[in-house]
Amino acid sequence: MTHLSRRGMIGMGGAIAVASGARAAITDDDPIAIVSTWDFGKAANAAALARLNAGGTPLDAVEAGARVPEADPDNHSVGYGGYPDRDGHVTLDAIIMDEDGRVGAVAALEDIVHAITVARSVMEKTPHTLLVGEGATRFALDQGMARTKLLTPAAETAWRDWLKTADYRSIANIENQLPGPPDRR
């Protein structure tokens, strides 16, 4: 497997399409690039490729890949196990676009593990492009998605520790400083 930094990717030039331009079926001869910009993207990329290999569309692959970190309780940057905001709420955002340029997004979504699936439902089942907060959560529940407490004990402990200083320093690329073995990232 080749590892490429974000800067290296930009420096390569050329066009890399992620979940776009897939009007025709993917064949073994078609080049496929699945790119993650985070250290924990390896598992996400594997899930995306598995979905493609099972006959899924590039859009299916994007969704499958994003669902991996969303469901990982050890990944504190997004999804289930993500660190909460200053008030102790884990809120999720996601956006997805299809090959025709249609977009679906959610922001400040609470109590739903897979924000990317909600975003896709917004794109495919509503005239909207963005649902936010309580409206996004209600929509997800109406679509049959389960309400799940996203604040895990580990994330709550970290949040309570953070409350002692309430230090708001911005740390660039902090999501790449996750604990655990590289194969889980």
Side-chain angles (χ1 to χ4, degrees):
M1 170 185 285
T2 301
H3 294 281
L4 189 61
S5 71
R6 288 181 216 168
R7 288 191 190 281
M9 182 69 156
I10 292 168
M12 283 176 47
I16 293 184
V18 178
S20 65
R23 290 194 183 1
I26 294 173
T27 69
D28 288 340
D29 296 332
D30 289 331
I32 296 174
I34 299 175
V35 180
S36 292
T37 60
W38 352 271
D39 287 350
F40 55 83
K42 184 176 179 182
N45 290 357
L49 187 57
R51 184 65 187 106
L52 282 174
N53 288 337
T57 66
L59 190 66
D60 296 333
V62 168
E63 181 181 5
R67 288 174 62 97
V68 172
E70 287 179 340
D72 183 354
D74 295 324
N75 179 340
H76 299 298
S77 68
V78 297
Y80 179 70
Y83 287 144
D85 62 18
R86 69 180 198 100
D87 297 321
H89 300 277
V90 178
T91 57
L92 307 180
D93 308 322
I95 187 167
I96 195 166
M97 179 186 287
D98 72 7
E99 69 273 9
D100 294 322
R102 295 181 313 144
V103 175
V106 292
L109 177 71
E110 292 188 61
D111 301 324
I112 305 294
V113 174
H114 294 295
I116 193 67
T117 299
V118 182
R120 185 172 183 176
S121 292
V122 169
M123 179 182 71
E124 294 178 342
K125 298 178 180 179
T126 79
H128 307 292
T129 56
L130 174 66
L131 296 179
V132 178
E134 185 180 330
T137 302
R138 278 197 321 263
F139 174 75
L141 294 170
D142 289 348
Q143 298 303 304
M145 295 172 203
R147 183 180 293 273
T148 303
K149 180 182 177 186
L150 300 178
L151 185 62
T152 62
E156 183 173 6
T157 297
W159 170 67
R160 291 193 184 284
D161 288 344
W162 174 85
L163 283 175
K164 295 173 187 170
T165 62
D167 185 1
Y168 281 102
R169 282 181 302 127
S170 177
I171 302 172
N173 296 318
I174 193 167
E175 67 275 8
N176 287 334
Q177 298 173 19
L178 296 174
D183 64 336
R184 296 255 358 253
R185 297 179 192 165

